[in-house]
Amino acid sequence: MDQRNYSRVTEFVLLGLSSSWEPQYFFFVFFNFLYVTILLGNLLIVLTVISEPALHTSMYIMLSNLSVLDVFLATYGTPKMIHDFLHEHKTISFEGCMAQIFLLHVFAGGEMMLLVAMAYDRYVAICKPLHYLTIMNLRKCTGLVVGSWFIGVMHSLSQLAFTVNLPFCGPNVVDSYYCDLTLVIKLACTDTYVPEVLMLLDSGLTGVTSFLLLLISYMVILATVRRQSSMGMAKARSTLTAHITVVTLFFGPCIFIYAWPFSNFPVDKVLSVFSTVFTPILNPIIYTLRNKEVKSAMHKLKSRYVSSRLPF
């Protein structure tokens, strides 16, 4: 059929987390609480790093950027999801859907690359401690952070390039709470085999490359600290535990979803919520709130705020 005869889809219908109306009010309150917690927790970390000169090192600069990415990752779809809990008819415009796809892959791709950069930072700190400040100077740190964002943007543009011009002419129901690229592509009124393969190769290359680089960095660190003192081993284990936990929480759902990218399982919604809502809450706790330097800086920030509120 000639594509000029198609009536272009102007909006998509989102089925949300549940088709039942009963749990919607609970979801509304619950996810509002989680979203506010994400904003406050991650923005507190960013403010703490900015306000404390002792934290102006590559490790904490990257951690603050991770918090920024987590805020954005939670914001691209969560407010819309919360809004839809109180509405029976959940829709999103075509342009809004494409924007969601773009933003999701920018922030997710950027976070993958930033986790790799953070692993490299820990490798230098543990394996080459005497040269750490020389190697991980401000210029190198800035390059790694900017590079992470740049790769995220390029990854997202490549995903969007073969999606935005697909003909969407009829089916417009997405069985999710956001515009999931793997589900949206299937709604196109054409053979989607090539776009599906390109999407899988693009996401797979980004994810697998990041994951392999992370594994290699951890193995090198462990091989190095085995030859050092027990104190060095304990410090490395503590650092690696935090990193591996975050990597597992972030990559685990992605690996499952993209292992069967064009098959829709009920658990996919749970994993998507975990990646975009729960992971941004857990990252600050795992990476920074257990950190003595960050805790001390937060106490100083609180003391300065309290002092500024006291009358003279």
Side-chain angles (χ1 to χ4, degrees):
M1 185 182 294
D2 192 337
Q3 291 183 10
R4 290 174 298 183
N5 295 329
Y6 290 161
S7 56
R8 186 176 180 84
V9 167
T10 58
E11 66 178 19
F12 292 95
V13 177
L14 304 174
L15 296 185
L17 289 181
S18 173
S19 58
S20 176
W21 184 251
E22 286 74 14
Q24 301 300 317
Y25 289 108
F26 169 75
F27 285 156
F28 177 79
V29 175
F30 180 64
F31 283 101
N32 255 311
F33 171 76
L34 292 182
Y35 183 60
V36 171
T37 302
I38 291 169
L39 294 181
L40 294 179
N42 283 285
L43 292 179
L44 175 61
I45 289 171
V46 174
L47 181 61
T48 301
V49 172
I50 292 174
S51 64
E52 179 54 55
L55 299 183
H56 293 176
T57 61
S58 59
M59 174 182 173
Y60 295 107
I61 291 172
M62 290 182 184
L63 286 175
S64 64
N65 273 272
L66 180 66
S67 291
V68 171
L69 279 168
D70 280 336
V71 168
F72 287 150
L73 191 60
T75 300
Y76 87 94
T78 304
K80 167 66 175 168
M81 176 180 67
I82 293 172
H83 171 270
D84 286 344
F85 286 140
L86 301 183
H87 295 79
E88 186 173 358
H89 191 57
K90 305 172 177 62
T91 61
I92 185 171
S93 67
F94 178 85
E95 293 77 12
C97 183
M98 294 300 109
Q100 274 197 348
I101 291 173
F102 174 75
L103 293 174
L104 169 61
H105 287 272
V106 168
F107 304 140
E111 186 154 332
M112 286 183 186
M113 294 300 106
L114 187 59
L115 288 173
V116 174
M118 293 169 68
Y120 173 71
D121 175 76
R122 291 300 84 201
Y123 159 75
V124 177
I126 295 173
C127 299
K128 301 182 180 181
L130 298 179
H131 303 284
Y132 176 70
L133 294 178
T134 303
I135 298 175
M136 292 303 300
N137 52 45
L138 181 59
R139 181 177 179 181
K140 173 70 72 65
C141 177
T142 303
L144 290 172
V145 171
V146 173
S148 299
W149 282 89
F150 178 76
I151 293 174
V153 171
M154 297 307 297
H155 163 66
S156 187
L157 287 174
S158 65
Q159 295 281 44
L160 202 63
F162 54 77
T163 305
V164 68
N165 291 320
L166 288 174
F168 295 95
C169 59
N172 68 336
V173 178
V174 180
D175 187 12
S176 185
Y177 65 92
Y178 72 102
C179 282
D180 187 337
L181 178 58
T182 61
L183 300 179
V184 171
I185 285 180
K186 292 168 63 177
L187 300 177
C189 303
T190 186
D191 182 11
T192 59
Y193 176 77
V194 173
E196 287 176 0
V197 170
L198 290 174
M199 187 279 292
L200 185 59
L201 289 175
D202 191 344
S203 297
L205 180 63
T206 303
V208 171
T209 301
S210 302
F211 194 63
L212 288 177
L213 288 173
L214 288 167
L215 287 179
I216 291 171
S217 67
Y218 296 149
M219 289 189 291
V220 172
I221 291 173
L222 286 174
T224 301
V225 297
R226 285 179 67 89
R227 300 191 297 267
Q228 298 179 359
S229 65
S230 58
M231 184 179 297
M233 176 67 82
K235 180 180 178 181
R237 282 177 178 169
S238 176
T239 301
L240 288 179
T241 298
H243 278 259
I244 292 173
T245 302
V246 169
V247 168
T248 301
L249 293 174
F250 185 79
F251 281 91
C254 295
I255 291 172
F256 182 89
I257 292 172
Y258 283 96
W260 298 274
F262 304 105
S263 300
N264 191 23
F265 298 104
V267 73
D268 287 354
K269 292 183 182 181
V270 177
L271 293 175
S272 296
V273 169
F274 191 87
S275 295
T276 59
V277 179
F278 288 99
T279 299
I281 291 177
L282 294 174
N283 277 354
I285 298 173
I286 295 170
Y287 264 130
T288 55
L289 297 184
R290 296 171 54 201
N291 185 290
K292 292 181 179 179
E293 288 80 3
V294 173
K295 286 182 178 180
S296 175
M298 285 183 175
H299 285 306
K300 290 180 182 178
L301 183 64
K302 178 183 176 181
S303 299
R304 285 200 296 267
Y305 175 77
V306 172
S307 299
S308 66
R309 303 291 293 181
L310 293 176
F312 292 101

